[in-house]
Amino acid sequence: MGLILISLTSNAQKADSVLRLPVFEVIESSIQKSMPLARINASQIELIPINDLGEILRRESNVSGIRRGGYAIDPVVRGYRYSQINIFLDDGIHIEGGCPNRMDPVMSHVEPELIQQIEIVKGPYLLRYGPSPSASIRIKTRPGEKAFKKGFGVKSITGYDANRNGIKQHLSISQSNERSFIRVSGGIKNYGNYTDGKGREWKSSYQKKDISADIGFKAGKSTLTGFSYKGSFGRDVLFPALPMDEIEDNTHIFSGYYDYSNPKKPDQILSLSAYHTRVFHLMDNSFRPQYNQIVPPNTGLMQAVASVNTSTSGGRIAFSHAFHKFKYSHGADYRITKKDGTRNMLMIMEMDGQLYTSGKAFNLWKESVINNSGVFSGVEWGHKRFEVSSVLRLDLNQARSNDTLLILRNEKTWFESKPVDQFLISVAVNSSYKLSEKTTISIGIARGQRSGDMQERFIKFLATGYDRYDYLGNPGLKPETNFQTDLMLTSNPGKLNFSVNLFRSQISNYITGTLVPPAVARPVSQGAPGVKQFNNIDKAILMGFEASADFALSIQSGLSFSAGYTYAYFPEIERITFENNQISGTEIIKNDPIPEIPAFEAMLSLSHQFVRLKIKPVLSLRAVADQNHVSLAAYEESTPAYLISDFFVTYTPIKQISIAAGANNIFNNAYYDHLNRRVLGSTEKLYEPGRTLFINLKIEF
């Protein structure tokens, strides 16, 4: 559970406090007040034993994640995943991962120690930073006003994880004055395999290094210019639920920005930004037995290696101003994403004393490119107790690939890489009304669109899903369109602070995999039962709720509770049928659950601040129900419920030093989450780590 669940006691309101913010927090902009928004601050990240950002997001209400190994958990928000979530840094920096199996989702390219804040918007409402079809995750890394604090500064974060025998060390050095600042930082992580509650060891070790630099300049009080570089380098990252492991991953993020505010009219703000990101991803099966020994049903050695190069470049301009009681914001952004990758397979067999080799090479992506050009315009207005905001976004999405593959069967074209241009329209309206000084009701209505991503359009014959089928892209996919409504109530009657959000989402042209007849295409990956192609399904429905409550038991003590659930289904979907383990046909199923939807979960936390002793213990519980609402069409299996408890203590002897120590999964329960992938070659899910003892030290001056 960790520090996210610390309650909002009145004693915890200091700037450097560790606290769990309610799901819908009142913040600066009225356009964000009525959004279903959660925020995670740096102080919540620095002292807890997380391996990557995906782990901390899983602790937020109705946010889960897909585990494939000991690192790089892929976030799922209200059942939305992958490119249904707009994940970006700062003012729209996008990163395209290299791995088709998502060993390196977007958040794995950014180290937690660099984060200032994370914003999670649960819905298609944050349209100022690119298309936001179903949710947004904004990762703020840019140094704030504190960066211009005069003098020399050092921050060190050290951690040890006993379960993984893992260590981490991050060091940041800065120098600043009123006009400029420079910050240089770097870190290392070296983690071994973890063990689950049954004492079984999972091959999940990894090594990471990172380095970053930030420079900023002020010209008076109205102009700020900054430049940033972030580098992240992964080595030997093992994934027991995937056919290969990450051997090397090199990420480079370059960015620059310029902000200007009119000294005479502070509401007039101009922002310019540009960025370039590059990722090189290399994976193979050299850590697997079949690389150097014969493993049935193989009759020889099977060696596979794949490499992918990606790059993303873009820029953004935004201008905001006020007129009477209205606040306006306008802007435009551009993004070009390129991806190219190959896979090579080598089979080595010995027959009659002779050694035979057979090699194959495949293009995963062949010089694929997606351009997205967008403009947006928004307005905010408030009068007495009522506030309303709206934003309109228009996008031109252009995709092309130099792939020469052509699949033509029975006068039907199944795959042909022709250039495709799509025009997208997104709009969001949020309003709030103060029923009283302490109670507010809000409603959000939005339409968000997205075009197919690189994988959905151009991937070729690779088992990238949870069901082991080989997947084939579809360059002609229609845009996915989400119509969503959120109804929110927040109140703070005395010592209690609570919020409730009900939501419903209807997605047309939902993108998912559907079976390709064997006469059209046969699988390439070993063990794949067939080929699925990404196609549009007429309709998908998702609905549910989030709720949170924080109660101040006393000045020093607090109790916190949160819960969330999503119910999702396809009104109609096609199911593959089998006979004697062979595909025999298809049938139509009504109201079938969407696969990989998290189960209902609730979290409870109790904390107390011993002021004189300068310590704060926190006990938290996380209860997850069994998931029996599973997809028949996807042959999805149900998963059992579980209950885990965590305990930790923070000790702050002086302002510059903080120590956190404790245990996650105190009772060493053996459990797995519904979204955890199956171990390769079996039907068993990948288990979560067992009891984890940890200690973290932060020194800052």
Side-chain angles (χ1 to χ4, degrees), residues 25-44:
E25 189 193 61
V26 177
I27 56 177
E28 299 83 7
S29 172
S30 62
I31 196 171
Q32 291 181 308
K33 288 181 183 179
S34 52
M35 287 183 184
L37 170 70
R39 300 168 75 192
I40 302 171
N41 292 325
S43 56
Q44 299 170 247

Side-chain angles (χ1 to χ4, degrees), residues 404-589:
T404 58
L405 176 66
L406 175 64
I407 301 179
L408 182 64
R409 296 289 187 277
N410 300 324
E411 299 182 353
K412 179 180 178 181
T413 301
W414 292 81
F415 187 98
E416 184 177 12
S417 185
K418 290 182 177 180
V420 176
D421 295 349
Q422 295 177 338
F423 185 65
L424 311 178
I425 302 175
S426 301
V427 62
V429 178
N430 298 85
S431 61
S432 63
Y433 180 76
K434 296 188 71 170
L435 300 174
S436 68
E437 288 301 316
K438 296 182 178 181
T439 303
T440 301
I441 188 170
S442 305
I443 187 169
I445 302 174
R447 177 190 195 266
Q449 280 195 297
R450 77 172 182 100
S451 297
D453 59 28
M454 283 284 189
Q455 184 150 307
E456 293 164 338
R457 282 171 154 165
F458 301 125
I459 193 67
K460 293 192 305 182
F461 303 110
L462 202 66
T464 61
Y466 69 95
D467 54 10
R468 305 304 187 200
Y469 280 79
D470 267 0
Y471 276 78
L472 176 66
N474 184 349
L477 284 171
K478 299 177 183 177
E480 195 176 82
T481 304
N482 179 22
F483 299 90
Q484 183 165 320
T485 300
D486 284 82
L487 179 63
M488 296 156 278
L489 177 69
T490 62
S491 185
N492 185 19
K495 296 181 179 181
L496 177 65
N497 179 14
F498 72 89
S499 60
V500 178
N501 178 18
L502 306 176
F503 70 90
R504 186 183 189 276
S505 172
Q506 179 173 307
I507 302 179
S508 60
N509 290 320
Y510 189 93
I511 298 174
T512 189
T514 59
L515 181 67
V516 173
V520 173
R522 294 189 176 276
V524 173
S525 302
Q526 183 180 0
V531 175
K532 286 185 176 181
Q533 185 178 35
F534 289 104
N535 279 299
N536 298 106
I537 289 183
D538 180 56
K539 187 186 301 181
I541 306 294
L542 299 92
M543 62 183 73
F545 76 93
E546 290 103 29
S548 70
D550 298 282
F551 183 70
L553 301 174
S554 67
I555 296 178
Q556 289 82 27
S557 301
L559 183 67
S560 173
F561 172 81
S562 64
Y565 178 65
T566 296
Y567 180 90
Y569 66 96
F570 295 116
E572 184 176 287
I573 193 170
E574 187 178 72
R575 181 194 192 192
I576 304 167
T577 58
F578 293 86
E579 186 174 340
N580 298 324
N581 293 324
Q582 298 293 321
I583 297 174
S584 59
T586 60
E587 62 181 358
I588 299 298
I589 295 182

Side-chain angles (χ1 to χ4, degrees), residues 1 4-5 20-24 38 58-64 78 122 497-503 543-550 560-566 598-605 621-625:
M1 295 298 298
I4 284 186
L5 298 181
R20 174 184 140 354
L21 297 170
V23 176
F24 318 109
R58 290 172 96 191
R59 307 165 193 228
E60 190 56 54
S61 178
N62 219 355
V63 179
S64 190
R78 289 181 172 178
K122 301 173 181 178
N497 179 14
F498 72 89
S499 60
V500 178
N501 178 18
L502 306 176
F503 70 90
M543 62 183 73
F545 76 93
E546 290 103 29
S548 70
D550 298 282
S560 173
F561 172 81
S562 64
Y565 178 65
T566 296
F600 168 82
E601 68 173 88
M603 295 167 279
L604 182 68
S605 175
L621 302 173
R622 180 175 178 231
V624 178

Side-chain angles (χ1 to χ4, degrees), residues 179-476:
R179 297 293 186 183
S180 63
F181 76 86
I182 181 170
R183 183 183 69 180
V184 178
S185 62
I188 59 171
K189 293 183 175 71
N190 193 337
Y191 285 77
N193 300 330
Y194 71 74
T195 57
D196 64 18
K198 295 181 179 180
R200 294 178 300 180
E201 182 176 333
W202 297 91
K203 295 191 181 216
S204 54
S205 61
Y206 72 92
Q207 300 175 46
K208 291 277 289 186
K209 295 180 181 179
D210 70 278
I211 186 171
S212 67
D214 293 276
I215 303 173
F217 307 95
K218 274 186 176 181
K221 296 182 178 181
S222 60
T223 301
L224 172 62
T225 304
F227 302 94
S228 174
Y229 166 76
K230 299 177 182 66
S232 177
F233 311 95
R235 297 292 185 271
D236 298 339
V237 185
L238 305 187
F239 292 90
L242 295 178
M244 291 191 282
D245 300 301
E246 178 185 296
I247 304 304
E248 182 178 345
D249 189 279
N250 302 326
T251 301
H252 304 276
I253 305 171
F254 304 89
S255 63
Y257 56 91
Y258 171 84
D259 295 332
Y260 171 79
S261 60
N262 189 334
K264 297 181 180 180
K265 297 181 179 180
D267 289 321
Q268 292 184 359
I269 301 173
L270 174 67
S271 298
L272 304 172
S273 61
Y275 68 92
H276 175 72
T277 67
R278 295 203 312 267
V279 175
F280 169 73
H281 187 83
L282 178 67
M283 50 198 156
D284 68 24
N285 67 335
S286 59
F287 287 95
R288 310 301 175 96
Q290 57 266 38
Y291 189 87
N292 50 33
Q293 70 183 67
I294 298 174
V295 178
N298 293 343
T299 57
L301 306 182
M302 196 278 287
Q303 300 176 353
V305 60
S307 63
V308 179
N309 284 283
T310 79
S311 71
T312 307
S313 302
R316 180 177 184 269
I317 180 172
F319 176 68
S320 60
H321 63 97
F323 182 72
H324 294 302
K325 294 184 178 181
F326 296 90
K327 295 181 180 179
Y328 298 93
S329 60
H330 318 283
D333 52 51
Y334 174 76
R335 180 169 83 242
I336 178 171
T337 304
K338 300 179 180 179
K339 201 163 190 173
D340 188 59
T342 58
R343 176 175 60 158
N344 294 280
M345 299 175 62
L346 185 67
M347 182 68 74
I348 305 173
M349 296 174 288
E350 184 176 350
M351 298 177 60
D352 300 326
Q354 298 291 322
L355 200 65
Y356 296 90
T357 62
S358 173
K360 294 181 180 180
F362 306 90
N363 288 321
L364 298 173
W365 291 276
K366 178 63 174 175
E367 299 171 353
S368 300
V369 179
I370 296 179
N371 294 301
N372 196 93
S373 307
V375 295
F376 62 86
S377 182
V379 60
E380 304 175 36
W381 175 78
H383 179 67
K384 295 183 178 181
R385 296 186 175 189
F386 181 72
E387 290 181 334
V388 62
S389 60
S390 63
V391 59
L392 172 67
R393 181 179 180 89
L394 307 176
D395 288 279
L396 176 62
N397 187 277
Q398 301 169 295
R400 67 180 188 274
S401 173
N402 288 331
D403 205 314
T404 58
L405 176 66
L406 175 64
I407 301 179
L408 182 64
R409 296 289 187 277
N410 300 324
E411 299 182 353
K412 179 180 178 181
T413 301
W414 292 81
F415 187 98
E416 184 177 12
S417 185
K418 290 182 177 180
V420 176
D421 295 349
Q422 295 177 338
F423 185 65
L424 311 178
I425 302 175
S426 301
V427 62
V429 178
N430 298 85
S431 61
S432 63
Y433 180 76
K434 296 188 71 170
L435 300 174
S436 68
E437 288 301 316
K438 296 182 178 181
T439 303
T440 301
I441 188 170
S442 305
I443 187 169
I445 302 174
R447 177 190 195 266
Q449 280 195 297
R450 77 172 182 100
S451 297
D453 59 28
M454 283 284 189
Q455 184 150 307
E456 293 164 338
R457 282 171 154 165
F458 301 125
I459 193 67
K460 293 192 305 182
F461 303 110
L462 202 66
T464 61
Y466 69 95
D467 54 10
R468 305 304 187 200
Y469 280 79
D470 267 0
Y471 276 78
L472 176 66
N474 184 349

Side-chain angles (χ1 to χ4, degrees), residues 676-694:
N676 287 12
R677 289 296 169 84
R678 293 193 295 261
V679 180
L680 192 68
S682 76
T683 58
E684 184 180 30
K685 286 285 188 79
L686 178 62
Y687 274 68
E688 293 287 324
R691 184 186 298 114
T692 300
L693 303 177
F694 69 91

Side-chain angles (χ1 to χ4, degrees), residues 108-121:
S108 70
H109 297 278
V110 185
E111 298 308 311
E113 294 79 12
L114 300 177
I115 306 304
Q116 303 294 322
Q117 189 181 77
I118 301 174
E119 291 183 351
I120 308 168
V121 178

